[in-house]
Amino acid sequence: MAVCRYHAMALSPAAVVCASSSSSSVAFPRLQTLRFKSNRRASMSARFSVFASSRSLEALIFDCDGVILESEDLHRQAYNDAFAHFNVRSPPSLSSSLTWSPEFYDVFQNQVGGGKPKMRWYFKEHGWPTSTIFDSPPETDDDRAKLIDTLQDWKTERYKEIIKSGTVEPRPGVLRLMDEARTAGKKLAVCSAATKSSVVLCLENLIGIERFQGLDCFLAGDDVKEKKPDPLIYITAAKKLGVSEKDCLVIEDSVIGLQAATKAGMSCVITYTSSTSDQDFKDAIEVYSDLSKVRFQDLESLLQSVVAAG
């Protein structure tokens, strides 16, 4: 996939994204490459004036879901497998089991967070389903909770099976960037809002045991009281790394993660996915479609340009 670099302030919410080389039911037109204009750089100076001129890249911090792996479509597959396994039909008049399409899920997953809330919202809007769990649509709160709990538990185990299958690969450029940062003697961290068990499973299977155990810091949603966009997870990471926030660079895929990083006083680059491509990334120092052509020295140069802009 080609790297697409643009400044998000130049795009409207309806902006299109770079075409993916993978097969998909959604076709995304290719974006014209846009460069930062000199006046855009000047307008950034106020935003980055808090950073000292001695700023250097000492720690590279990755989010997990959406950055290390494009996980949302895997979650969608797991939901659909659960719906098929239990013959879930919502509305009950459906002739076959419920299927969430990529187009629907890209929007839906950014509107309703969490697996159980997703299903509860959907069934409330489209009709509580028939299934092999309940022959008729559940009417009591207890039965509805049992239905959702059963589906979520099965879906979670299915997601784990998909991750462990060996068919899932990290997003382009991620492993190389990790290795380049390590070779350069920089610190490396992963900070994810997901549960620790889920993140550990992903990291062990996607980046490998050796890289995972070699991280200088690993934090998951269980480790902090406040979740992104609160900056606590990144502030905590900087303390554990023994590095100033201004010398950290975060790689995120969503505006929620971007807000968490910038509130912590860290610079952030975005590598978006199809489900986050139209979000407002104006506070990112750079935006990429993926990291396949991004080198560690490019990120160092980006951080230096922030100082120059100030």
Side-chain angles (χ1 to χ4, degrees):
M1 181 186 293
V3 176
C4 176
R5 307 178 64 172
Y6 65 96
H7 193 274
M9 288 184 70
L11 302 179
S12 69
V16 295
V17 299
C18 293
S20 170
S21 59
S22 61
S23 59
S24 172
S25 59
V26 186
F28 296 103
R30 188 179 300 276
L31 272 178
Q32 181 181 6
T33 301
L34 302 177
R35 300 286 185 182
F36 284 116
K37 296 181 179 179
S38 58
N39 62 343
R40 186 74 70 192
R41 286 294 189 192
S43 69
M44 291 171 61
S45 61
R47 190 160 67 241
F48 296 119
S49 62
V50 296
F51 300 125
S53 61
S54 60
R55 186 168 194 171
S56 62
L57 205 173
E58 298 299 330
L60 187 61
I61 306 176
F62 289 80
D63 180 30
C64 185
D65 287 352
V67 173
I68 294 176
L69 79 160
E70 197 157 353
S71 56
E72 289 305 331
D73 196 58
L74 303 181
H75 284 292
R76 184 187 68 83
Q77 292 176 35
Y79 280 119
N80 287 341
D81 289 346
F83 297 151
H85 180 78
F86 292 103
N87 195 23
V88 173
R89 303 189 183 198
S90 172
S93 58
L94 279 181
S95 58
S96 59
S97 60
L98 173 64
T99 299
W100 284 344
S101 69
E103 297 91 339
F104 169 79
Y105 195 77
D106 275 353
V107 176
F108 187 43
Q109 66 96 10
N110 283 314
Q111 293 179 334
V112 182
K116 293 182 181 180
K118 278 184 174 65
M119 288 187 286
R120 184 173 291 277
W121 183 93
Y122 188 90
F123 295 150
K124 183 178 179 181
E125 291 294 315
H126 298 273
W128 285 89
T130 57
S131 65
T132 58
I133 304 168
F134 292 103
D135 290 336
S136 58
E139 296 181 355
T140 68
D141 289 342
D142 286 345
D143 284 348
R144 289 174 175 176
K146 179 181 177 180
L147 170 72
I148 289 175
D149 288 347
T150 301
L151 290 172
Q152 182 66 28
D153 289 346
W154 198 95
K155 176 263 175 184
T156 298
E157 292 305 310
R158 176 58 183 145
Y159 180 76
K160 291 178 181 178
E161 290 176 359
I162 295 173
I163 294 295
K164 293 177 180 178
S165 68
T167 61
V168 181
E169 295 183 354
R171 291 192 69 191
V174 168
L175 299 187
R176 177 182 43 73
L177 270 178
M178 286 184 169
D179 293 343
E180 287 178 354
R182 181 63 72 204
T183 299
K186 307 302 181 180
K187 295 188 175 181
L188 203 59
V190 172
C191 293
S192 172
T195 60
K196 180 165 288 186
S197 60
S198 174
V199 184
V200 169
L201 175 72
C202 291
L203 294 180
E204 287 182 344
N205 284 274
L206 269 74
I207 72 172
I209 300 292
E210 186 175 350
R211 285 191 188 88
F212 175 50
Q213 293 180 344
L215 292 174
D216 296 292
C217 177
F218 163 59
L219 294 174
D222 316 54
D223 296 316
V224 291
K225 293 181 180 179
E226 300 295 333
K227 303 294 180 65
K228 301 174 186 179
D230 188 277
L232 182 59
I233 194 168
Y234 286 125
I235 293 172
T236 303
K239 291 178 180 178
K240 287 183 175 292
L241 291 167
V243 174
S244 171
E245 288 89 347
K246 66 184 177 60
D247 294 326
C248 298
L249 181 63
V250 176
I251 302 178
E252 278 279 1
D253 70 302
S254 70
V255 71
I256 290 177
L258 171 62
Q259 290 169 350
T262 55
K263 288 177 183 177
M266 299 179 181
S267 288
C268 181
V269 299
I270 291 291
T271 172
Y272 59 81
T273 67
S274 61
S275 62
T276 63
S277 60
D278 62 349
Q279 294 182 3
D280 184 358
F281 297 132
K282 67 180 184 296
D283 290 326
I285 63 173
E286 189 59 288
V287 181
Y288 304 98
S289 61
D290 65 46
L291 303 172
S292 59
K293 295 184 179 179
V294 182
R295 313 296 297 204
F296 182 73
Q297 64 184 22
D298 297 328
L299 300 181
E300 287 186 304
S301 297
L302 273 174
L303 204 59
Q304 291 169 5
S305 72
V306 169
V307 177

